[in-house]
Amino acid sequence: MSEIIKDESVEVKKPRSGRKPSIAKAKGSKENTTKTSASAHKTSKRANSSVKLSSEMVTKTIEAKIDAFFEANKEFGIKKLVSAAKLMEANANIGTPARYWNPKMKPFIYAGKTGKHYIIDLLKCMVFLDRAYNFLVELTKEGGKVLIVGTRGEIIKNHVKEEAKRANCFYINQRWLGGTLTNFRTINKSIIKLNNLIMLQLSDEIKKYSKKEQLQKIKETEKLGKFFGGIRTMKGLPQAVIVLDPVVEKNAVAEAKKLNIPVIALTNTNADPSLIDFVIPCNTSSIKTVYLLTSVLVDAICEGMGEPKNVVGKADNEIVLPELTKRPVEIINRKSFTKGANVVDGGDSEDSPATSDVISKETKEETQTETK
């Protein structure tokens, strides 16, 4: 038989399953990954800078077109209350996702859609905002009262309360109770009860009650003040209602529509404009947008009453919007759960020292309280 001569220069390839990478290949792969990551970082920086430049150019062009429109229509008395740059900073032009849109809002939507969201026409937002502003100025000059309704989010609730106090008007920043307008006679009874409790606490008559009864009275005033504190001085129906989100506050809009009370509402692309008298198309999901436009509408009430304004007539640098910070995401270490094993504080089992210390502390405290 012929002998098989093995050549050392020829490498014999093994199957993929059993092959292990050599050290030299691993080093080369690490160097390649670092190079690719560095190049990707540079390209991302360039992309971000180009996006910033393009967004600035877009805002400038939009603002130039809107300024030209308002200059051409000065004779009709249309005013630019807020700049387009400030509205775009507050994301007022971004609507709801396309699947939630209402076809009745089509006249207020900019042509086409970008991505998953419709784009709201900022020019129409500014024109309809001026229309609602003029209505509120004339209404307050005649002595009419306005009710502001905004119950979505803590920032908006606090802002509604502050702005209503500035303009000396009524507000509701908690859950809308059914019949607040249509059944005002029964609501007025609870308002009278709230006022009587407040007068009782301010006077010396509360000292006649025991401490337990005094605590009960305080709790009752807090409960009633939570829902009726903003309408505590309202003796009749308001002449207009400002709604910050007609989708959330649909009951308030329905009651005002029944009683023929004009409704001024910030409407997104998912709202029904046929139920609203003064539509202001904007992004109601953005806290900054709602914050800004609420201040503009309250400035109209202040102008009718002859009081100073906070937003209208000021530069963009002087208008301060709330700074929003994202909550840090808590990472939880998930481990395999076995029968009879409990996980406490990120995956510590019963046998771990962390849980044993906690249990020992709790048992010590319980024994101390029992002995006492």
Side-chain angles (χ1 to χ4, degrees):
M1 292 182 69
S2 60
E3 295 180 356
I4 299 168
I5 300 167
K6 293 182 179 179
D7 192 359
E8 294 179 356
S9 62
V10 178
E11 292 181 357
V12 179
K13 292 184 178 180
K14 295 181 180 180
R16 288 183 176 273
S17 60
R19 187 174 63 184
K20 294 182 180 179
S22 63
I23 297 166
K25 286 183 178 180
K27 287 181 180 178
S29 62
K30 284 181 182 178
E31 288 176 1
N32 291 329
T33 52
T34 52
K35 285 179 182 179
T36 52
S37 63
S39 61
H41 185 64
K42 287 179 182 179
T43 52
S44 65
K45 278 187 175 180
R46 289 173 186 172
N48 290 330
S49 61
S50 63
V51 166
K52 284 180 182 179
L53 289 170
S54 62
S55 63
E56 287 176 1
M57 291 293 291
V58 167
T59 53
K60 284 180 181 178
T61 52
I62 289 169
E63 196 167 6
K65 288 180 180 179
I66 289 171
D67 289 339
F69 173 81
F70 279 103
E71 286 179 4
N73 294 304
K74 273 185 179 179
E75 298 176 356
F76 300 101
I78 302 171
K79 299 176 185 177
K80 188 176 75 169
L81 302 171
V82 189
S83 66
K86 200 67 183 177
L87 288 171
M88 290 187 76
E89 182 187 343
N91 296 324
N93 59 331
I94 299 169
T96 53
R99 55 182 176 174
Y100 298 121
W101 83 300
N102 193 329
K104 293 180 182 179
M105 284 293 292
K106 192 175 181 180
F108 305 100
I109 294 171
Y110 195 72
K113 63 177 180 179
T114 58
K116 296 180 180 179
H117 296 265
Y118 281 106
I119 302 300
I120 297 166
D121 195 348
L122 281 180
L123 179 61
K124 290 182 179 178
C125 173
M126 296 171 76
V127 169
F128 281 90
L129 179 63
D130 179 65
R131 180 168 165 260
Y133 187 91
N134 294 330
F135 170 75
L136 287 171
V137 170
E138 293 176 0
L139 182 70
T140 49
K141 279 182 181 178
E142 295 173 357
K145 291 292 181 180
V146 183
L147 173 65
I148 304 172
V149 183
T151 64
R152 188 177 179 181
E154 290 297 324
I155 296 171
I156 300 301
K157 286 178 182 179
N158 295 331
H159 185 60
V160 165
K161 187 176 180 180
E162 291 171 2
E163 293 296 306
K165 286 181 178 179
R166 179 167 71 90
N168 194 17
C169 58
F170 311 121
Y171 70 92
I172 291 175
N173 62 349
Q174 296 296 327
R175 182 174 61 87
W176 179 270
L177 297 177
T180 302
L181 296 177
T182 53
N183 197 10
F184 184 70
R185 289 183 181 179
T186 54
I187 295 293
N188 195 27
K189 291 177 183 178
S190 56
I191 292 170
I192 291 165
K193 188 179 180 180
L194 174 63
N195 291 327
N196 292 333
L197 287 168
I198 291 167
M199 292 298 293
L200 180 67
Q201 290 181 13
L202 294 173
S203 63
D204 295 330
E205 293 181 2
I206 196 166
K207 294 179 182 179
K208 297 177 182 178
Y209 297 93
S210 63
K211 289 183 179 180
K212 187 178 179 180
E213 289 175 344
Q214 287 179 15
L215 288 171
Q216 287 176 354
K217 298 286 183 186
I218 290 165
K219 286 181 181 179
E220 195 174 359
T221 52
E222 287 177 355
K223 187 179 178 181
L224 290 171
K226 184 180 178 181
F227 295 102
F228 305 110
I231 56 173
R232 192 167 63 86
T233 57
M234 191 168 76
K235 296 180 180 179
L237 294 173
Q239 280 71 43
V241 179
I242 297 172
V243 180
L244 303 186
D245 194 345
V247 177
V248 176
E249 313 299 339
K250 58 183 180 180
N251 293 331
V253 174
E255 289 186 19
K257 192 75 177 174
K258 268 186 181 180
L259 299 170
N260 295 323
I261 298 171
V263 178
I264 302 154
L266 309 180
T267 57
N268 209 331
T269 53
N270 61 342
D272 187 1
S274 62
L275 303 173
I276 299 157
D277 300 300
F278 295 90
V279 179
I280 302 169
C282 64
N283 183 12
T284 55
S285 300
S286 172
I287 293 171
K288 291 182 179 180
T289 304
V290 178
Y291 192 96
L292 177 63
L293 296 180
T294 305
S295 299
V296 172
L297 293 173
V298 172
D299 280 350
I301 300 168
C302 292
E303 186 178 338
M305 296 170 67
E307 294 181 1
K309 295 174 282 187
N310 286 352
V311 175
V312 178
K314 291 189 177 181
D316 291 346
N317 298 328
E318 297 176 358
I319 300 169
V320 181
L321 296 175
E323 294 181 359
L324 305 175
T325 55
K326 291 184 179 180
R327 293 180 181 177
V329 179
E330 295 180 358
I331 298 168
I332 300 169
N333 295 324
R334 296 184 179 273
K335 293 185 178 180
S336 60
F337 292 94
T338 57
K339 290 183 179 180
N342 296 325
V343 174
V344 181
D345 293 332
D348 292 329
S349 62
E350 283 183 341
D351 298 330
S352 63
T355 52
S356 62
D357 293 336
V358 172
I359 292 162
S360 63
K361 286 178 185 178
E362 289 178 354
T363 51
K364 283 177 183 178
E365 289 174 1
E366 286 176 1
T367 52
Q368 286 175 3
T369 52
E370 285 176 0
T371 52
K372 289 179 181 179

